[in-house]
């Protein structure tokens, strides 16, 4: 039988808010999207930060806003240009939903100012709508992402499964109760910052935590037992053999069809499936690439093009930066552009 979870008293909630916000003011990271109240820029950052590390997002965010500085520019962008500027971030449906949402906003001639209207935009979930509404418009909605779930679970020593739909609803209610409604934007950002920098998944930095005084898990010495996640899924390993076929300054690529389930419109290196008669020569190198529960082990081989290249197209190498290339192509290109010894070393170091 599970031990009942003690609720926070009002003095404890007040202490939690004060300590958290004071810490955030002194220790928050200087991130580009924290220097603006523009809802468009904040929205772009929140979409990019889904499933992607902050350090990886920063350069993409700055380039993306330089190319698509406003709703109209994003709404009118050619899809290939849009995907080229997103390439490397992964989860490409996010970019397409951004454009759909931009087209929706252009039709109404403004960024929506209410939580419910933001929530109705394509690609916007409960977390993103709450984050944008609170940060851009000071609306009192708690934003609960993975970092916040971890903080809430530990602070309450709460055994509810954070990976379940029921658990997420439970912690959303807990977050609403803790939210500082007078400063919802800073409070939400502080909660996310705490989870990202102090309340880490492994070995949380409890001695540096501003709210350790009210943290039930810390007080009982069980911080490493939370959060509780009962849903698990094994990674699937897939071996791929990519063909690097270069001729007269061009490379042979194929493009995923517009209706493809994964990454439609992106350019890929051919494999045996596309060019069964290609003759392989030397091995350039190998690398690993992980996407959610898939672990790709890729070998890159130079090869000679067959007479019939089928769906593949010769593409000038100098045009590659402007194309939406898959991450596999980008990693293979780095290997193929190096001398043999360097490529071999790079393939070992990429694991």
């Amino acid at each position: 039988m599970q031990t009942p979870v003690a609720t926070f008293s009002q003095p404890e909630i007040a202490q939690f808010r004060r300590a958290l916000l004071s810490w955030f003011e002194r220790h928050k990271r200087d991130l580009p999207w924290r220097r603006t109240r523009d809802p468009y820029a904040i929205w772009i950052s929140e979409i990019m930060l889904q499933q992607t590390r902050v350090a990886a997002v920063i350069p993409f965010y700055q380039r993306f806003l330089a190319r698509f500085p406003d709703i109209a520019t994003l709404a009118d962008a050619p899809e290939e240009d849009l995907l080229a500027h997103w390439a490397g971030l992964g989860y490409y449906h996010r970019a397409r939903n951004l454009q759909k949402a931009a087209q929706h906003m252009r039709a109404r001639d403004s960024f929506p100012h209410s939580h419910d209207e933001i929530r109705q935009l394509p690609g916007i979930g409960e977390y993103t709508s709450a984050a944008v509404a609170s940060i851009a418009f000071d609306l009192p909605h708690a934003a609960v992402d993975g970092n916040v779930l971890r903080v809430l679970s530990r602070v309450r020593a709460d055994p509810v499964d954070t990976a379940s739909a029921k658990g997420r609803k439970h912690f959303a209610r807990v977050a609403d109760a803790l939210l500082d409604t007078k400063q919802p934007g800073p409070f939400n950002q502080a909660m996310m910052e705490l989870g990202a920098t102090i309340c880490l998944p492994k070995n949380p930095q409890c001695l540096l935590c501003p709210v350790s005084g009210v943290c039930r898990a810390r007080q009982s010495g069980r911080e490493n037992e939370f959060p509780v996640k009962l849903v698990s899924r094994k990674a699937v390993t897939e071996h791929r053999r990519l063909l690097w076929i270069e001729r007269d300054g061009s490379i042979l690529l194929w493009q995923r069809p517009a209706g493809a389930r994964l990454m439609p419109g992106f350019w890929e290196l051919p494999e045996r499936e596309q060019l069964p008669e290609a003759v392989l020569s030397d091995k350039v190198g190998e690398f690993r690439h992980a996407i959610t529960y898939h672990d790709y082990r890729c070998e890159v081989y130079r090869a000679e093009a067959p007479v019939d290249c089928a769906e593949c197209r010769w593409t000038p190498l100098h045009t590659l930066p402007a194309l939406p290339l898959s991450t596999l192509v980008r990693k293979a290109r780095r290997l193929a552009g190096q001398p043999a010894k360097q490529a071999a070393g790079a393939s070992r170091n990429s694991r």
Side-chain angles (χ1 to χ4, degrees), residues 20-46:
L20 179 69
L21 288 168
S22 176
W23 168 82
F24 181 64
E25 182 61 30
R26 288 181 283 113
H27 297 286
K28 63 184 176 184
R29 290 171 291 178
D30 181 20
L31 303 175
W33 45 87
R34 288 182 176 163
R35 304 172 200 152
T36 181
R37 294 295 296 275
D38 177 9
Y40 173 81
I42 293 168
W43 166 59
I44 296 295
S45 73
E46 289 296 340

Side-chain angles (χ1 to χ4, degrees), residues 13 18 28 33 79 102 125 135 156 228 246 268 324:
I13 292 175
R18 284 195 306 269
K28 63 184 176 184
W33 45 87
E79 184 178 84
I135 297 169
R156 287 166 48 92
V228 174
E246 191 176 337
E268 300 274 11

Side-chain angles (χ1 to χ4, degrees), residues 326-342:
S326 74
T327 302
L328 299 187
V329 177
R330 294 174 184 274
K331 289 187 174 182
R333 187 186 183 193
R334 287 197 290 269
L335 289 177
Q338 298 171 349
K341 290 184 179 179
Q342 286 184 335

Side-chain angles (χ1 to χ4, degrees), residues 43 47 64 74-75 77-84 86 90-104 121-124 255-267 324:
W43 166 59
I47 298 299
F64 194 90
L74 177 58
E79 184 178 84
E80 191 164 79
D81 191 15
L82 172 67
L83 295 179
W86 194 272
Y91 303 96
Y92 296 96
H93 63 279
R94 294 183 296 173
R96 291 188 171 89
N97 280 332
L98 274 176
Q99 186 168 57
K100 291 177 183 177
Q103 291 165 349
H104 175 86
L121 293 173
I124 299 287
Q255 188 176 30
R256 291 180 175 273
R261 184 176 64 87
L262 297 175
M263 299 172 61
F266 274 72
W267 291 87

Side-chain angles (χ1 to χ4, degrees), residues 10-295:
Q10 286 304 314
E12 285 178 314
I13 292 175
Q15 179 185 346
F16 181 94
R17 292 170 178 168
R18 284 195 306 269
L20 179 69
L21 288 168
S22 176
W23 168 82
F24 181 64
E25 182 61 30
R26 288 181 283 113
H27 297 286
K28 63 184 176 184
R29 290 171 291 178
D30 181 20
L31 303 175
W33 45 87
R34 288 182 176 163
R35 304 172 200 152
T36 181
R37 294 295 296 275
D38 177 9
Y40 173 81
I42 293 168
W43 166 59
I44 296 295
S45 73
E46 289 296 340
I47 298 299
M48 286 188 170
L49 287 165
Q50 295 171 3
Q51 308 285 335
T52 311
R53 294 178 299 107
V54 167
V57 165
I58 291 174
F60 285 96
Y61 172 80
Q62 294 170 328
R63 287 197 298 267
F64 194 90
L65 282 185
R67 173 61 185 86
F68 310 110
D70 51 44
I71 292 170
T73 308
L74 177 58
D76 293 335
E79 184 178 84
E80 191 164 79
D81 191 15
L82 172 67
L83 295 179
H85 280 78
W86 194 272
L89 279 173
Y91 303 96
Y92 296 96
H93 63 279
R94 294 183 296 173
R96 291 188 171 89
N97 280 332
L98 274 176
Q99 186 168 57
K100 291 177 183 177
Q103 291 165 349
H104 175 86
M105 287 186 279
R106 183 184 56 184
R108 55 169 286 160
D109 200 31
S110 68
F111 197 102
H113 283 60
S114 75
H115 172 267
D116 290 343
E117 289 176 309
I118 295 171
R119 180 70 177 82
Q120 292 171 14
L121 293 173
I124 299 287
E126 189 55 45
Y127 161 76
T128 304
S129 57
V132 175
S134 63
I135 297 169
F137 303 116
D138 293 317
L139 298 177
H141 296 274
V144 183
D145 66 354
N147 287 322
V148 175
L149 279 172
R150 187 164 58 253
V151 170
L152 295 173
S153 177
R154 283 178 175 154
V155 164
R156 287 166 48 92
D158 197 321
V160 172
D161 178 14
T162 59
S164 69
K166 183 178 179 180
R168 288 191 291 273
K169 290 181 180 179
H170 164 77
F171 284 109
R173 292 191 294 270
V174 174
D176 285 335
L178 285 178
L179 178 68
D180 187 332
T181 56
K182 296 179 180 179
Q183 304 179 75
F187 183 89
N188 280 333
Q189 292 180 82
M191 288 287 284
M192 292 182 267
E193 188 84 343
L194 186 67
T197 63
I198 300 293
C199 196
L200 304 172
K202 295 181 180 179
N203 301 317
Q205 307 298 300
C206 296
L207 294 178
L208 302 176
C209 180
V211 297
S212 61
V214 294
C215 179
R216 304 283 195 258
R218 172 62 176 169
Q219 291 167 357
S220 60
R222 296 187 297 146
E223 56 268 22
N224 287 311
E225 296 179 21
F226 299 94
V228 174
K229 293 183 180 181
L230 301 180
V231 176
S232 62
R233 183 173 175 179
K234 293 183 179 180
V236 177
T237 300
E238 183 175 332
H239 294 271
R240 306 277 293 271
R241 181 169 290 181
L242 310 177
L243 307 183
W244 186 270
I245 305 177
E246 191 176 337
R247 185 179 71 187
D248 299 328
S250 293
I251 183 75
L252 207 55
L253 299 175
W254 66 280
Q255 188 176 30
R256 291 180 175 273
R261 184 176 64 87
L262 297 175
M263 299 172 61
F266 274 72
W267 291 87
E268 300 274 11
L269 287 174
E271 300 178 56
R272 280 299 190 189
E273 180 181 350
Q274 288 76 37
L275 298 176
E277 297 181 8
V279 178
L280 275 59
S281 56
D282 59 304
K283 180 178 176 179
V284 176
E286 60 187 67
F287 62 85
R288 291 175 61 177
H289 181 63
I291 304 177
T292 59
Y293 299 104
H294 288 82
D295 183 15

